Amino acid sequence: MKNLITHIGGLPIEQLARDFGTPTFIYERDVIEKRIAELKAFDVVRFAQKACSNLAILALMKKHGVVVDAVSAGEIHRALKVGFTGQASSDPGSTGGARHAPGIVFTADLFDEDARDMIRTHKLPVNVGSPDMITQLGTFAPGTDVTLRINPGFGHGHSRKTNTGGSYSKHGIWHTEIEECLRLGKEAGVNIIGLHMHIGSGSDFQHLSTVCDAMVKAAKRMGPQLKVISAGGGLPIPYHKEQSRIDVGAYFSLWDKARKMIERDLGHSISLEVEPGRYLVAESCSLLTQIRSVKSSGGNRFYLVDAGFETLVRPSMYGAYHEISIATHDGRAVGNAFDTIVGGPLCESGDVFTQEEGGVVTTRKLPEAVVGDFLILHDAGAYGSAMSSNYNTRRLAAEVLIQQGRGDIIRERQTFEHILHFERIPSNLA
Ligand code: LLP
């Protein structure tokens, strides 16, 4: 029956639940490796770790020559922990083509104090999103290599909240400001060497050629000091199983064509980077939950599971669609499927996995299930664990990596004491 499964990554679901408990994010290493291999035509694959910053996932990226982007001091800290640096790697074992690219690039629209310290101490290159950052860099880290994150004047995304271009976007440097940035760069004593354009997450081909054209134009404005261009992230994945997969070869060809035009204009070679988050990890991960209540209410059928939007916020936040499957806990035959609403444990009505943008609750045809069965939310690897919270004082879920036919824990389930660790009761209230 459709949406009825028994295994994740070759391991029986019931055993995974027994060994690791629920809810648990379960990643499959070979899926991530397949996605990395698909992008190897790019000179540099830079993982947008905001999508999934678990140390084990970062270490796996590193093993395959993928470098990382960091958007906060915390993400820099993670990258340093697994051995990335701000310098180009000369690791001959790298297979991702990133041998001459810095291991970490800091991307942001501003510097906070923590980030300033990290950048200065570890000599990290910066992808700046505001002209102000260029001048500020000159005061605390002159000599830094800089790329300009350009807002080409338009954007695109799977939701209004993930569109990062256009005049209402807080991201990036407006495309007509490039010459001014070069002037500021000279004044500040930083080396502006690259251009970066990330116009949104979930982009499509119609938009892509427009972005490539905008990059070629921006490169003309920038002139001979340009050495690297970055296509940003945004490669979509088929969240609906009937959606077709993006043609990565065609995606590369469009960017490669733009790169070659720029090389012709400037008369020297240009390195082409891509910066995906979602594409590398989304499909590698299933969120394993357990059904704790099956009920009818007002004519609707509900499965309530032991994870809510504190664990996977994408449906509540963007109306994002995730495929859902059921696994029985006792191997019984299941004959019927019903239109079902799937919700979590939170004391909030928006805690529903089957909803569209704007909070419209929908149903999903799912196999008949009983309390104790398992419910799996697919494609949860990007912005799943990374966006989870302790809302309702619920613990962060465990994370497991399946490799070589077994599951290795890559994040323990949080403890209640850990949640309370930094809270203090003033003595007059104790
Ligand atoms: N580069 C930059 C500068 C970005 O801002 C982002 C995403 C990426 C790369 C990676 O984009 P990706 O390839 O993963 O689409 N929480 C939302 C997505 C927010 C993306 C923010 N920036 C979601 O769950 O869909």
Side-chain angles (χ1 to χ4, degrees), residues 43-86:
D43 298 321
V44 177
V45 180
R46 185 171 297 287
F47 176 49
Q49 66 164 296
K50 63 176 79 81
C52 180
S53 52
N54 183 293
L55 294 176
I57 302 296
L58 298 185
L60 179 58
M61 295 294 169
K62 184 161 187 296
K63 196 173 168 56
H64 290 284
V66 173
V67 288
V68 294
D69 146 273
V71 297
S72 67
E75 287 194 355
I76 295 171
H77 184 69
R78 286 178 175 280
L80 293 169
K81 274 263 178 221
V82 300
F84 287 110
T85 69

Side-chain angles (χ1 to χ4, degrees), residues 48 50 149 158 198 201 233-234 275-278 314 318 383 387:
K50 63 176 79 81
R149 176 176 180 178
H158 69 70
H198 171 84
S201 280
E275 194 176 76
R278 181 185 331 269
R314 301 191 72 255
Y318 314 111
Y383 309 104
M387 290 180 80

